[in-house]
């Protein structure tokens, strides 16, 4: 029994492997002891030596600085993989030092810094080199503190101020950073973007309410 691969030479048969990536044709035939040669047969094969390639997508909300990606517990992670020859068999991922898990879109809910590892395996068993994505989960909203400069007097549930008293809004945000602080006076329809301290000189004497909040990135 003898065989040849593509346009190679006929070789006396012994079990063999194909190593060249891509499509090949195996020709094979047998010859008996009287010299009767079998009609040559062929087998088309594809050698797949390449692993799949995966990409990860980060949903919203998300925010990036030069070196850090911030997300929240609501952010959805999705992984897509492709393999040009035998096809993708499965995708796996793990979070931090966890175990490899069969992929489906997922969230990471625990606040703090994390690493996602992900990879794909094709139908021949080629395993993609592990890829990673680092990020920080930020689930804690900012905390805004209101304070007044001179001429203010706390009285029960209200603070008595003069028309010249300045109102200061200071926001504390420890992870993704402060996007903005907003306020409105009494029943104003629109929120104002806070940029600096302000006075209440435009209000009439009497009881008023300052509404305020902050939002992070």
């Amino acid at each position: 029994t003898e065989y040849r691969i593509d346009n190679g030479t006929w070789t006396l048969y012994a079990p063999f492997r194909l190593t060249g990536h891509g499509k090949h044709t195996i020709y094979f035939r047998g010859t008996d002891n009287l010299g009767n040669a079998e009609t040559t047969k062929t087998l088309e094969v594809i050698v797949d030596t390449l692993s799949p390639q995966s990409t990860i997508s980060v949903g919203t909300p998300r925010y990036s600085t030069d070196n850090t990606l911030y997300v929240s517990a609501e952010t959805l992670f999705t992984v897509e993989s492709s393999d040009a020859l035998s096809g993708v068999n499965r995708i796996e991922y793990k979070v931090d030092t966890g175990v490899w898990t069969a992929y489906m879109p997922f969230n990471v809910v625990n606040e703090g810094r994390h690493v996602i590892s992900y990879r794909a395996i094709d139908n021949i068993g080629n395993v993609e080199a592990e890829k990673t994505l680092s990020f920080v989960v930020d689930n804690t909203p900012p905390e805004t503190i209101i304070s007044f400069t001179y001429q203010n007097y706390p009285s029960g549930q209200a603070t008595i101020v003069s028309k010249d008293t300045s109102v200061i809004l200071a926001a504390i945000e420890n992870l993704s950073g402060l996007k903005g602080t907003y306020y409105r006076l009494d029943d104003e329809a629109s929120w104002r973007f806070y940029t600096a301290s302000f006075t209440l000189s435009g209000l009439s004497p009497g009881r008023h309410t300052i509404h305020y909040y902050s939002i992070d990135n």
Side-chain angles (χ1 to χ4, degrees):
T1 303
E2 54 188 356
Y3 73 95
R4 68 182 173 92
I5 300 171
D6 299 327
N7 296 319
T9 58
W10 287 99
T11 303
L12 187 64
Y13 166 74
F16 62 96
R17 291 186 174 91
L18 295 178
T19 57
H21 181 81
K23 181 176 291 188
H24 300 278
T25 302
I26 300 173
Y27 300 85
F28 57 100
R29 66 190 180 192
T31 304
D32 67 15
N33 288 308
L34 291 178
N36 297 309
E38 177 184 18
T39 301
T40 299
K41 296 178 179 178
T42 61
L43 176 68
E44 302 290 337
V45 297
I46 296 175
V47 178
D48 183 359
T49 62
L50 299 179
S51 61
Q53 294 298 309
S54 301
T55 58
I56 192 167
S57 298
V58 183
T60 56
R62 68 177 183 271
Y63 173 72
S64 296
T65 63
D66 289 341
N67 54 15
T68 304
L69 169 66
Y70 293 94
V71 302
S72 81
E74 299 177 0
T75 305
L76 191 66
F77 294 90
T78 56
V79 180
E80 293 184 351
S81 298
S82 61
D83 186 86
L85 293 179
S86 62
V88 176
N89 179 273
R90 67 187 184 275
I91 303 171
E92 301 175 333
Y93 77 97
K94 65 178 180 177
V95 180
D96 300 327
T97 57
V99 298
W100 287 104
T101 303
Y103 163 76
M104 61 183 300
F106 62 96
N107 310 81
V108 179
V109 299
N110 292 334
E111 188 166 81
R113 187 172 296 275
H114 299 281
V115 177
I116 294 172
S117 304
Y118 57 100
R119 66 188 183 188
I121 298 94
D122 69 15
N123 286 302
I124 294 297
N126 295 313
V127 180
E128 179 181 18
E130 179 181 323
K131 295 178 178 177
T132 61
L133 175 68
S134 300
F135 58 95
V136 174
V137 176
D138 180 3
N139 295 326
T140 304
E143 180 182 358
T144 308
I145 299 172
I146 190 169
S147 61
F148 303 91
T149 59
Y150 57 90
Q151 295 176 311
N152 72 90
Y153 174 70
S155 175
Q157 295 182 348
T159 299
I160 301 173
V161 300
S162 78
K163 64 181 179 63
D164 296 320
T165 301
S166 293
V167 181
I168 301 171
L169 299 176
I172 300 172
E173 165 56 36
N174 294 321
L175 289 176
S176 62
L178 183 69
K179 184 175 183 179
T181 299
Y182 300 84
Y183 72 96
R184 63 186 175 96
L185 306 177
D186 296 327
D187 296 324
E188 289 180 332
S190 300
W191 288 91
R192 310 184 192 193
F193 183 71
Y194 177 80
T195 57
S197 61
F198 58 92
T199 66
L200 305 175
S201 58
L203 299 180
S204 60
R207 184 179 294 272
H208 297 276
T209 302
I210 302 171
H211 307 263
Y212 58 95
Y213 73 96
S214 295
I215 185 170
D216 67 17
N217 284 303

